[in-house]
Amino acid sequence: MSNLDSASGSSVDFTYGALGIKYSFALELRDTGRYGFLLPSNQIAPTGKETFTGILALVEAMKV
C-alpha cells in the first residue's frame, strides 16, 4: 500500500465523492522518500517517461 492509499480526506476523495468525478486518481512518482521533491537531474526524464506510460495505460483502460 502506498502512502496516498492510506490517506483519508485527499483530493481524490473530494473529486470522487463530492464532485462525482468518475475517474479520480493521484499520481505517485518514483522517489521513496530519499530525495523528496528535489530529485537529482538524472532521474527527472526517466520519472516523466514512466509517469507518462502509466497515464497512457490509465486512459486506455477507462471506459468513457
Side-chain angles (χ1 to χ4, degrees):
M1 179 183 296
S2 69
N3 292 336
L4 290 178
D5 291 337
S6 61
S8 63
S10 69
S11 59
V12 173
D13 291 336
F14 178 74
T15 58
Y16 184 75
L19 300 179
I21 296 173
K22 184 175 181 179
Y23 295 106
S24 298
F25 56 92
L27 297 175
E28 292 187 33
L29 303 179
R30 64 169 45 197
D31 185 49
T32 59
R34 181 173 183 188
Y35 301 107
F37 291 104
L38 301 172
L39 280 178
S41 60
N42 67 342
Q43 290 190 29
I44 294 172
T47 299
K49 288 177 184 177
E50 66 191 20
T51 301
F52 183 70
T53 301
I55 291 171
L56 283 179
L58 173 76
V59 170
E60 289 173 358
M62 287 181 174
K63 297 177 182 171
V64 292

